[in-house]
Amino acid sequence: MTPSLRTMNHQESQKLAKVNSLEMRDMGFTERDNSDGLDDNHDLNEQSESSQSHLAVDESDSSEDEVAPRNTIGDVPLEWYKDEKHIGYDIAGKKITKKERQDKLHSFLANADDLKNWRKIYDEYNDEEVELTKEETKLIRRLLKGKAPHAEFDPYAPYIDWFKWDDAKHPLSSAPEPKRRFIPSKWESKKVVEYVRAIRKGLIRLEKPKEEPHFYLLWGDDSSSADRTKHLAYIPPPKPKLPGHEESYNPSLEYMPTQEEINSYQLMYEEDRPKFIPKRFTSFRSIPAYENAIKDSFERCLDLYLCPRVRKKRINIDPESLKPKLPSRQDLRPYPVTCYLEYRGHEGAVLSISVEPSGQWIASGSKDGTVRIWEVETSRCLRVWQVGEAVQHVAWNPLPELPVLAVSAGPDVLILNTGFGNEEEQKKIKELLHIGTPNSSDDSDDMSSFLSWFQDEKHDCIRLRHYRTVSSVEWHRKGDYLSTVMPAGESRAILIHQISKKLTQRLPFKLHGLPVSSIFHPTRSIFFVATKKNVRVYDLLKQKLIKKLETQLREVSSIAVHPAGDNVIVGSKEGKLCWFDMDLSSKPYKTLKCHPKDITNVAFHRSYPLFASCSDDCTAYVFHSMVYADLNQSPLIVPLEILRGHTSSDGRGVMDCKFHPRQPWLFTAGADSSIKLYCH
């Protein structure tokens, strides 16, 4: 019998308790209550360990810490080799067979024979047993007891005060430092002055603190929270309409349609037909399934998927604050308000009117082929000319000492002598309107083929015969030049005539589009030509284009120039009126949509800040228009009055409007063959 078996009787109780706790194959340790046995074993083997340590040092040339791990199975789970006979491969690629494992009995006997066997740990990856050193076991014991790994470390070392208190001098009083000892910094004061100046100049802007709301919606939607604003804008889907009383299974009789109403629903269009027709049921059991349930759900899904939703920020603004602050109409008086006189005598629509420069007489041309001169204050018809064709336009000469009248009727333009003035003026007028022999226009331009000057014996006047119908006649401010517009005249659509020399010249510019009207500048040698889309401004002295005004209108119908010459108004056949500021831009400064029908004419007052527009809707609008000398201040436009009184005839209303040259009066010519005078 071996010595290990002889000693098993007196150590059996201790060894059996250590078998499970010191199982090296589980790679762990458990603190044992009976530590005396280990201490005895350690004392017995101290000499043997010390003697063998020298041998171990001689046999090995390196420490265990420097030995690299010998992993022969690679980066795979160890469970894959559980049922295999080998564990990994060597460098030659051959299988490494597993070592035979000892059973419980052999391991117990080995513990009894070898006192150091409890230090051995089985390494599963390398399939070998590793023996722990004495220092490693001490570290493990200290860790199991919750102590520091190293015994030299003292967690409760005494506190070392590094400050020397020997020569410290304490103050007699612990009171705070008085403010009178404070010395302000000059550098900081200069810096504060710089900041103050920067804030006053606006270089530094102070952000106002955001006030947190004191109240919140108890049942509010989370979509309005401030957290969502940091991310993509969340737009909640529209909520479906809630059911009402008519959708009840047993609604009141007042919600039930009659049979006649149900039959009338079938005659309606599908979009006008009601979506739901109420029905009555005696109980819930008698209610059938809703036939449009799937269809409604499908349409609801389509609405949520296809209907675009845009977040609209609602701003709480008083609507009255959005209105422009305009002066009171009482402060803008005088302006025409009521109809004072009516001039009757024409048998057809009055197409054009013109006021004499002194304001005593007014001339009118009608569709009945007559030209009449009226006395303004008494509405008495003073003189009548039978022209024979519909009079398109009449224009009085702007010079008071030259009372002649230009009349366009068909292709002819007549320069009529009104008979006003003294004998010297009449003698001068007769010499001016006399043509000895028929004189053609400038031969170099070959004007004789489309224009001729000759004496009209019937009316004792000058007749200018054009080759197309003349729609508009305008005088120059000096009274010697006259412009005519022929919309179908192509390159010779606009001609300028000189009465004193009996000469005609065409406009030395290429016209882009069909001309509608033309007008001279009130103070400068500038000529305005209005086509159906644009207004072109030419300099007659330099013979070049100055500016092109983009009206952005469908079709221009009329044009008028402010007496100062820097502002232009343009009327259109779509009821819009555009105000242009020549010094500001070539785009409209203001566009007014005032008339529902075509605007036939627009006019400025010579001395009062007024302008007017007339339309086929049988109304005339009067506006206040103040133009300031300061270029930084925009013109003030205020609507004042809507003048009514004319009746419609053949779909036409007010054909023309003109202001009195001295009084705030307005003359209107209507398609009802009447002329009205509106006074303040």
Side-chain angles (χ1 to χ4, degrees):
M1 196 171 187
T2 59
S4 61
L5 293 176
R6 286 196 301 267
T7 58
M8 187 177 69
N9 294 328
H10 65 86
Q11 294 179 353
E12 184 178 1
S13 60
Q14 296 179 0
K15 295 297 181 180
L16 290 176
K18 299 175 184 176
V19 170
N20 295 328
S21 61
L22 296 177
E23 181 63 32
M24 297 299 106
R25 301 185 183 190
D26 296 335
M27 297 183 68
F29 288 91
T30 307
E31 184 178 4
R32 296 164 300 170
D33 296 336
N34 191 4
S35 62
D36 298 335
L38 286 176
D39 296 335
D40 296 339
N41 294 333
H42 297 163
D43 296 337
L44 294 173
N45 296 326
E46 282 181 357
Q47 295 178 356
S48 60
E49 290 176 0
S50 61
S51 61
Q52 293 178 0
S53 62
H54 297 284
L55 296 175
V57 172
D58 297 337
E59 293 175 356
S60 177
D61 58 350
S62 63
S63 62
E64 293 182 358
D65 297 337
E66 298 178 359
V67 177
R70 299 181 301 278
N71 187 3
T72 60
I73 65 173
D75 192 11
V76 297
L78 191 62
E79 297 178 355
W80 292 8
Y81 293 93
K82 183 177 181 181
D83 299 331
E84 301 293 336
K85 295 182 179 180
H86 67 283
I87 178 167
Y89 301 87
D90 58 5
I91 194 170
K94 296 181 181 180
K95 296 181 179 180
I96 301 175
T97 58
K98 294 182 179 179
K99 295 180 181 180
E100 293 184 0
R101 301 290 300 277
Q102 294 180 351
D103 55 3
K104 298 289 184 180
L105 181 60
H106 287 82
S107 62
F108 176 73
L109 294 176
N111 290 333
D113 293 339
D114 190 3
L115 297 178
K116 296 181 180 180
N117 191 54
W118 64 275
R119 293 184 182 180
K120 295 180 180 180
I121 300 175
Y122 177 70
D123 186 2
E124 293 184 356
Y125 277 91
N126 297 321
D127 193 21
E128 63 180 4
E129 290 185 352
V130 180
E131 184 176 353
L132 300 176
T133 61
K134 188 175 181 181
E135 288 76 11
E136 291 173 349
T137 56
K138 289 182 179 180
L139 289 176
I140 293 173
R141 283 197 186 92
R142 293 185 66 85
L143 291 174
L144 292 176
K145 291 181 180 180
K147 298 180 180 180
H150 300 282
E152 296 83 6
F153 176 74
D154 187 7
Y156 305 105
Y159 175 73
I160 299 175
D161 193 356
W162 301 99
F163 187 78
K164 296 180 180 180
W165 299 90
D166 298 339
D167 300 333
K169 295 181 180 180
H170 295 282
L172 299 176
S173 174
S174 61
E177 194 77 10
K179 292 184 178 181
R180 62 178 177 273
R181 298 181 185 175
F182 173 73
I183 300 176
S185 173
K186 293 183 179 180
W187 180 88
E188 290 181 355
S189 62
K190 292 181 180 179
K191 206 67 179 176
V192 169
V193 171
E194 291 181 3
Y195 287 149
V196 170
R197 290 176 180 174
I199 293 173
R200 289 177 179 176
K201 292 180 180 179
L203 301 178
I204 299 177
R205 296 182 179 179
L206 303 177
E207 296 182 358
K208 296 182 180 180
K210 297 182 179 180
E211 297 182 358
E212 296 183 356
H214 299 285
F215 308 99
Y216 62 93
L217 297 176
L218 183 61
W219 306 106
D221 191 2
D222 293 338
S223 61
S224 61
S225 62
D227 298 337
R228 293 190 180 273
T229 58
K230 300 179 182 178
H231 309 287
L232 295 177
Y234 172 74
I235 303 176
K239 297 181 180 180
K241 182 183 177 182
L242 298 177
H245 295 287
E246 66 276 4
E247 297 184 4
S248 173
Y249 78 97
N250 190 11
S252 303
L253 293 176
E254 58 200 32
Y255 294 102
M256 296 298 298
T258 61
Q259 189 63 33
E260 296 178 356
E261 293 177 348
I262 295 175
N263 296 335
S264 64
Y265 294 159
Q266 304 300 326
L267 302 176
M268 295 181 179
Y269 291 103
E270 186 175 357
E271 57 269 12
D272 299 333
R273 195 179 304 163
K275 304 298 181 183
F276 180 78
I277 299 177
K279 296 180 181 180
R280 298 192 71 182
F281 300 96
T282 56
S283 62
F284 279 111
R285 290 177 295 175
S286 59
I287 300 175
Y290 182 48
E291 54 185 3
N292 295 327
I294 299 177
K295 181 181 178 181
D296 290 352
S297 300
F298 177 72
E299 290 180 352
R300 173 66 175 171
C301 293
L302 285 182
D303 292 341
L304 297 178
Y305 169 61
L306 297 176
C307 181
R309 301 192 297 273
V310 180
R311 179 179 294 275
K312 295 183 179 179
K313 295 183 179 180
R314 184 174 297 176
I315 305 175
N316 296 326
I317 297 178
D318 186 12
E320 296 296 331
S321 63
L322 299 178
K323 295 181 180 180
K325 296 181 179 180
L326 301 177
S328 175
R329 293 197 304 171
Q330 305 292 335
D331 302 335
L332 302 179
R333 290 180 177 178
Y335 56 87
V337 176
T338 58
C339 181
Y340 178 70
L341 282 178
E342 187 172 353
Y343 307 86
R344 287 193 173 273
H346 287 288
E347 297 178 357
V350 182
L351 301 180
S352 177
I353 55 176
S354 180
V355 186
E356 193 255 341
S358 64
Q360 186 178 1
W361 316 100
I362 180 173
S364 62
S366 175
K367 209 171 184 179
D368 58 2
T370 62
V371 178
R372 294 174 180 264
I373 293 182
W374 314 79
E375 189 177 9
V376 172
E377 295 182 356
T378 61
S379 70
R380 178 172 61 94
C381 182
L382 187 66
R383 193 167 181 179
V384 180
W385 287 277
Q386 290 289 341
V387 180
E389 293 187 40
V391 179
Q392 298 293 332
H393 200 274
V394 294
W396 213 296
N397 193 293
L399 296 180
E401 63 272 10
L402 194 63
V404 294
L405 189 68
V407 179
S408 66
D412 297 336
V413 174
L414 285 77
I415 311 298
L416 298 175
N417 183 8
T418 58
F420 300 128
N422 51 32
E423 294 181 359
E424 294 181 359
E425 292 177 352
Q426 282 297 316
K427 184 179 179 180
K428 183 179 179 181
I429 292 172
K430 289 179 181 180
E431 292 178 357
L432 182 65
L433 301 182
H434 177 72
I435 300 177
T437 57
N439 183 22
S440 62
S441 300
D442 193 358
D443 296 336
S444 61
D445 292 340
D446 194 14
M447 293 287 184
S448 59
S449 60
F450 57 89
L451 179 72
S452 60
W453 292 68
F454 59 90
Q455 190 78 30
D456 190 344
E457 301 296 340
K458 180 181 178 180
H459 303 293
D460 193 17
C461 65
I462 295 177
R463 183 182 291 267
L464 284 77
R465 177 152 294 175
H466 300 70
Y467 76 110
R468 290 287 188 271
T469 302
V470 180
S471 63
S472 176
V473 179
E474 291 292 338
W475 286 96
H476 190 262
R477 66 180 186 278
K478 294 184 178 180
D480 192 23
Y481 292 92
L482 181 72
S483 69
T484 58
V485 177
M486 296 177 289
E490 298 176 353
S491 62
R492 300 180 180 88
I494 298 178
L495 301 176
I496 298 177
H497 312 279
Q498 187 177 6
I499 306 300
S500 60
K501 296 183 180 181
K502 313 300 187 293
L503 295 177
T504 301
Q505 58 182 350
R506 64 185 182 89
L507 199 65
F509 308 106
K510 184 179 179 181
L511 299 178
H512 299 271
L514 296 177
V516 176
S517 179
S518 65
I519 190 171
F520 289 96
H521 194 277
T523 57
R524 299 164 60 187
S525 59
I526 294 177
F527 192 63
F528 296 86
V529 177
T531 60
K532 287 189 175 182
K533 296 294 183 182
N534 305 314
V535 177
R536 295 177 178 270
V537 186
Y538 298 99
D539 191 339
L540 297 178
L541 292 179
K542 298 180 181 179
Q543 294 189 0
K544 68 176 184 179
L545 178 66
I546 298 177
K547 187 172 288 188
K548 178 183 175 182
L549 304 180
E550 301 287 344
T551 60
Q552 301 176 358
L553 301 174
R554 186 179 62 193
E555 184 176 352
V556 176
S557 62
S558 56
I559 182 175
V561 183
H562 192 268
D566 294 334
N567 296 273
V568 180
I569 55 174
V570 177
S572 69
K573 289 190 175 182
E574 54 186 311
K576 292 183 179 179
L577 187 144
C578 295
W579 178 291
F580 288 92
D581 191 342
M582 299 281 291
D583 298 331
L584 182 63
S585 171
S586 60
K587 299 293 179 66
Y589 164 68
K590 290 286 185 181
T591 301
L592 307 177
K593 175 64 177 176
C594 47
H595 294 280
K597 291 186 178 182
D598 300 353
I599 294 178
T600 55
N601 195 22
V602 290
F604 272 108
H605 199 285
R606 291 185 183 178
S607 55
Y608 286 91
L610 298 172
F611 76 91
S613 64
C614 57
S615 171
D616 284 336
D617 59 357
C618 302
T619 61
Y621 282 62
V622 181
F623 298 87
H624 173 83
S625 57
M626 176 59 71
V627 178
Y628 300 96
D630 187 5
L631 297 179
N632 295 327
Q633 193 168 2
S634 301
L636 176 63
I637 303 175
V638 182
L640 295 177
E641 193 70 31
I642 301 177
L643 304 178
R644 296 180 175 88
H646 289 277
T647 58
S648 178
S649 176
D650 296 334
R652 305 304 301 272
V654 182
M655 306 301 295
D656 195 5
C657 64
K658 291 290 189 301
F659 277 103
H660 192 278
R662 298 181 180 178
Q663 299 293 334
W665 300 346
L666 181 67
F667 298 92
T668 58
D672 54 356
S673 68
S674 66
I675 303 170
K676 295 182 181 295
L677 170 61
Y678 294 89
C679 299
H680 60 284

